[in-house]
Amino acid sequence: SQPKHTSRSLGRITQWELADGVDRVEGDASGAYAEAGQTWIRRLYFFKPELLLIHDHLTAPAPATYQWLL
């Protein structure tokens, strides 16, 4: 449901914390999708120096199937 070829697709960094042992960044891409009621939040945790954990929080107004492409 993401609009193509438009500047209306907006995402934003909503939180971040940089520390000695772990860095955490959260981004909200909900504004990049056309359907109301959807949540698209991604959290990245960098456990220094070698582990990156990606946590996605997705919601939809009705049952949905998601495909993770990275």
Side-chain angles (χ1 to χ4, degrees):
S1 65
Q2 188 175 25
K4 295 182 180 3
H5 311 295
T6 178
S7 60
R8 293 180 301 146
S9 296
L10 300 175
R12 60 193 175 95
I13 301 296
T14 55
Q15 295 181 21
W16 68 91
E17 180 181 354
L18 308 177
D20 289 337
V22 61
D23 293 341
R24 181 182 62 84
V25 178
E26 178 180 286
D28 184 350
S30 302
Y33 294 88
E35 291 184 35
Q38 291 185 329
T39 302
W40 299 80
I41 294 175
R42 175 167 282 170
R43 294 178 183 106
L44 301 173
Y45 299 89
F46 178 43
F47 296 92
K48 299 172 186 176
E50 59 194 33
L51 178 66
L52 177 66
L53 173 68
I54 301 172
H55 175 258
D56 290 333
H57 176 76
L58 312 172
T59 63
T65 300
Y66 297 99
Q67 192 174 24
W68 195 66
L69 304 171
L70 179 65

